[in-house]
Amino acid sequence: MVGFKATDVPPTAAVRFLGAGTAACIADLITFPLDTAKVRLQIQGERRGPVQAAASAQYRGVLGTILTMVRNEGPRSLYNGLVAGLQRQMSFASVRIGLYDSVKQLYTKGSEHAGIGSRLLAGSTTGALAVAVAQPTDVVKVRFQAQARAAGGRRYQSTVDAYKTIAREEGFRGLWKGTSPNIARNAIVNCAELVTYDLIKDTLLKANLMTDDLPCHFTSAFGAGFCATVIASPVDVVKTRYMNSALGRYSSAGHCALTMLREEGPRAFYKGFTPSFLRLGSWNVVMFVTYEQLKRALTAACASREAPF
């Protein structure tokens, strides 16, 4: 057994909530440069057709994007929007991941045997609920990641300035821009990540292929990251483009998707797929492994405090 041992006492909702937010922040700290590279690749080619976009592409590939950003803007540019990103994860992941098991139990009425339908419903519910809580932090994070220092000045000077500027120039609704595609994306991602992780882990344990420890968590998380990337990439690209767009550029998320299809072709919906997979795959591995260990550590700490001397 590697890491903390599994206990017979299930973690409380508070332990799951705190553990999920903390684990997600740790995963973000490690994988944030990949997420920034993904955003830059996704917004590349706006306002150009596919031929012009390919000819004038500033960023080529994950490594090329990271190297170009470091060369033109400095290493710190890879962490543009980190503060908003951590704010987002602490509120967002705590809800979508931390409440997943509780909502799943609600749909199954406390039964230990949850079907795939109950799991999908739980994933969709917590994913959508998380967006309702954390959407402004996601808007600010994407805006920060998209802005380039070399492109004629920065739109926002700090996280607080970004919140104030967006609210002042675009109104309160500006902070909730892209809520619809983000709800769709996160309902899909949550189902792909959490349900796939849940199913792979249950299958490995029931078939006695692995025990409930780090290798099992790693394998399940990697599979969940790949499934999430394949399923959610088109919605993710539309969400990024729409949230980063200037006021009046797109009338809706649907208009954004149609504009992309008309001007750049269907391949535009999978722009940034490699960094998306590298980011989601590595993010899922770090997050789920950390989350499982934090749940066990926090549960053991709570049990030791309650144990009589």
Side-chain angles (χ1 to χ4, degrees):
M1 172 70 71
V2 182
F4 291 96
K5 293 181 179 180
T7 63
D8 295 329
V9 180
T12 63
V15 165
R16 293 192 188 108
F17 191 85
L18 179 61
T22 305
C25 286
I26 292 170
D28 245 30
L29 282 169
I30 294 172
T31 64
F32 206 80
L34 291 172
D35 192 41
T36 303
K38 177 204 74 173
V39 169
R40 292 292 181 93
L41 285 167
Q42 285 178 338
I43 64 171
Q44 182 168 252
E46 277 189 297
R47 301 178 184 272
R48 303 184 185 97
V51 176
Q52 295 98 317
S56 59
Q58 181 184 5
Y59 306 114
R60 297 182 185 277
V62 185
L63 183 60
T65 301
I66 290 173
L67 291 175
T68 300
M69 290 179 63
V70 170
R71 184 171 60 250
N72 294 341
E73 305 169 50
R76 291 181 63 183
S77 65
L78 297 174
Y79 283 89
N80 278 347
L82 178 63
V83 173
L86 295 179
Q87 291 171 352
R88 172 182 180 268
Q89 290 300 353
M90 206 62 218
S91 54
F92 183 76
S94 296
V95 174
R96 79 174 184 94
I97 299 169
L99 297 184
Y100 170 75
D101 286 325
S102 299
V103 174
K104 184 174 67 173
Q105 289 172 3
L106 180 67
Y107 284 130
T108 58
K109 298 179 180 178
S111 173
E112 293 182 1
H113 304 288
I116 190 168
S118 299
R119 298 178 202 238
L120 289 171
L121 275 172
S124 300
T125 301
T126 58
L129 184 61
V131 174
V133 172
Q135 179 68 7
T137 62
D138 205 13
V139 172
V140 171
K141 179 184 81 76
V142 168
R143 296 282 183 94
F144 256 103
Q145 289 176 312
Q147 71 178 1
R149 283 186 187 145
R154 296 167 64 87
R155 293 166 78 180
Y156 313 111
Q157 302 304 316
S158 68
T159 305
V160 174
D161 177 57
Y163 284 114
K164 289 180 178 178
T165 302
I166 293 170
R168 184 175 64 251
E169 294 181 354
E170 303 174 41
F172 183 74
R173 291 179 62 184
L175 289 169
W176 298 90
K177 192 173 187 178
T179 299
S180 296
N182 213 12
I183 286 177
R185 175 194 180 268
N186 282 291
I188 293 169
V189 168
N190 222 34
C191 287
E193 282 182 354
L194 293 176
V195 176
T196 303
Y197 179 83
D198 223 2
L199 291 171
I200 293 174
K201 182 182 172 184
D202 281 357
T203 301
L204 292 173
L205 295 177
K206 287 177 181 177
N208 292 319
L209 296 173
M210 290 183 175
T211 56
D212 192 5
D213 55 13
L214 287 176
C216 176
H217 304 158
F218 180 95
T219 304
S220 304
F222 187 83
F226 180 76
C227 289
T229 309
V230 171
I231 293 170
S233 272
V235 184
D236 190 35
V237 175
V238 173
K239 180 212 78 167
T240 300
R241 289 281 185 95
Y242 186 58
M243 290 200 315
N244 183 60
S245 64
L247 189 63
R249 165 66 172 151
Y250 304 115
S251 60
S252 66
H255 177 228
C256 177
L258 289 173
T259 302
M260 285 174 58
L261 182 63
R262 184 175 62 251
E263 294 182 357
E264 302 171 60
R267 291 182 63 182
F269 292 97
Y270 278 91
K271 274 193 171 183
F273 179 84
T274 301
S276 288
F277 172 61
L278 289 174
R279 198 262 175 173
L280 261 182
S282 58
W283 190 92
N284 271 271
V285 168
V286 175
M287 194 284 297
F288 277 115
V289 169
T290 306
Y291 180 42
E292 295 280 9
Q293 295 302 303
L294 280 174
K295 281 194 298 183
R296 294 177 181 184
L298 291 170
T299 301
C302 290
S304 65
R305 286 183 62 186
E306 294 171 3
F309 291 101

